[in-house]
Amino acid sequence: MKALYFATNNPHKVQEIQSILGDEFEIKTLNDLACEEDIPETGTTFEENAKQKTDFIVERYDVSCFADDSGLEVEALNLEPGVYSARYSGSRNMDENIDFLLERLAGVEDRTARFKTVISLYLDGKQYFFEGSISGRIIDQRRGEKGFGYDPIFIPEGYAETFAEMSINKKNTISHRAIAVKKLADFLLKTDESI
Ligand code: IMP
């Protein structure tokens, strides 16, 4: 089994990607590297942030690794909150972030939005990117209890439920992250390069 480091300590993300990759790869995390430092995320794009995370790990530990960065882009808000999704209102409290977003969209007719994920992979000295996105719209009141982040106010295109009303399994088959992770997994499983 080949080991690959994922620059995260989020067990849900690790579980999701491990289940897609199967037995061929063993996903290791920052814990396995005993990395307790906060990895900076100061980029202005998802690509920059994801790459910043893999660069950080490569510089310190010299291992093949990948990292992701995600967020919500709202058309009528010039693609905000984007890389600032986790702290759009200035706080990390998601209730406050949702309220802030809804206030900014009050009276706005165009509710088009998308979730986007970019994965940066650094493998044997080469840099790769994988992207996933899902389009939908922002509703004006929260619906549903599942999921996290902006899930209660996002309805994916072609569906009637918000991400927060969907089962986790269903969300995990159509989400931006699932699409990007699937591309990463397809690449890893077909690549001949040894890790
Ligand atoms: P991360 O880069 O995956 O940690 O995502 C950054 C922020 O984007 C999160 O804190 C959420 O606010 C938002 N976000 C990313 N993915 C999702 C999702 O699937 N549902 C809801 N919010 C999300």
Side-chain angles (χ1 to χ4, degrees), residues 37-72:
E37 289 170 88
D38 265 344
I39 305 182
E41 274 182 58
T42 55
T44 56
T45 63
F46 299 122
E47 285 82 358
E48 277 173 29
N49 277 346
K51 183 171 182 301
Q52 205 171 14
K53 294 179 212 176
T54 48
D55 284 352
F56 183 94
I57 298 302
V58 172
E59 275 162 27
R60 279 166 183 70
Y61 304 98
D62 193 23
V63 289
S64 287
C65 61
F66 65 94
D68 70 334
D69 198 57
S70 316
L72 178 68

Side-chain angles (χ1 to χ4, degrees), residues 18 22 36 42-43 57 63 67 76 78 101 106 112 122 133 137 148-150 156 166 172 190 193:
Q18 185 72 72
E36 287 175 4
T42 55
I57 298 302
V63 289
N78 282 325
L101 183 81
T112 315
Y122 183 87
S133 69
R137 65 191 165 89
F148 70 99
Y150 297 92
M166 261 179 206
N172 281 347
K190 79 169 168 31
E193 290 165 289

Side-chain angles (χ1 to χ4, degrees), residues 8 19 23 32 43-44 51 63-64 74 78 94 111 118 128-129 131 144 150 162:
T8 187
S19 75
D23 294 342
D32 298 304
T44 56
K51 183 171 182 301
V63 289
S64 287
V74 180
N78 282 325
M94 277 318 294
R111 316 289 290 194
V118 174
Y128 306 89
F129 290 102
E131 201 179 298
Y150 297 92
T162 65

Side-chain angles (χ1 to χ4, degrees), residues 2-190:
K2 299 163 191 165
L4 188 61
Y5 288 90
F6 185 8
T8 187
N9 274 324
N10 181 331
H12 300 290
K13 288 187 181 178
V14 177
Q15 208 179 11
E16 182 186 357
I17 193 160
Q18 185 72 72
S19 75
I20 294 179
L21 281 172
D23 294 342
E24 206 133 331
F25 291 89
E26 183 191 6
I27 301 301
K28 291 181 173 275
T29 67
L30 299 178
N31 280 334
D32 298 304
L33 289 169
C35 172
E36 287 175 4
E37 289 170 88
D38 265 344
I39 305 182
E41 274 182 58
T42 55
T44 56
T45 63
F46 299 122
E47 285 82 358
E48 277 173 29
N49 277 346
K51 183 171 182 301
Q52 205 171 14
K53 294 179 212 176
T54 48
D55 284 352
F56 183 94
I57 298 302
V58 172
E59 275 162 27
R60 279 166 183 70
Y61 304 98
D62 193 23
V63 289
S64 287
C65 61
F66 65 94
D68 70 334
D69 198 57
S70 316
L72 178 68
E73 294 182 337
V74 180
E75 283 286 336
L77 299 177
N78 282 325
L79 306 187
E80 287 180 12
V83 291
Y84 307 107
S85 293
R87 51 199 145 97
Y88 192 35
S89 66
S91 134
R92 288 202 162 259
N93 179 309
M94 277 318 294
D95 251 350
E96 289 176 26
N97 287 328
I98 288 181
D99 285 341
F100 185 71
L101 183 81
L102 291 180
E103 275 162 32
R104 303 210 59 197
L105 279 180
V108 175
E109 218 165 280
D110 179 7
R111 316 289 290 194
T112 315
R114 78 184 71 87
F115 277 117
K116 197 166 155 186
T117 293
V118 174
I119 293 176
S120 161
L121 169 70
Y122 183 87
L123 181 63
D124 289 342
K126 286 193 204 130
Q127 173 76 55
Y128 306 89
F129 290 102
F130 305 91
E131 201 179 298
S133 69
I134 178 156
S135 297
R137 65 191 165 89
I138 303 295
I139 53 171
D140 56 14
Q141 277 182 0
R142 294 164 172 80
R143 275 173 29 196
E145 302 293 328
K146 299 191 223 5
F148 70 99
Y150 297 92
D151 282 349
I153 54 166
F154 180 81
I155 299 187
E157 212 171 276
Y159 293 82
E161 339 140 72
T162 65
F163 261 173
E165 292 174 313
M166 261 179 206
S167 73
I168 301 285
N169 276 350
K170 188 166 170 188
K171 180 189 166 190
N172 281 347
T173 56
I174 64 170
S175 80
H176 47 309
R177 200 166 9 261
I179 294 165
V181 164
K182 183 77 177 44
K183 287 181 187 171
L184 170 71
D186 287 348
F187 174 81
L188 288 173
L189 294 173
K190 79 169 168 31

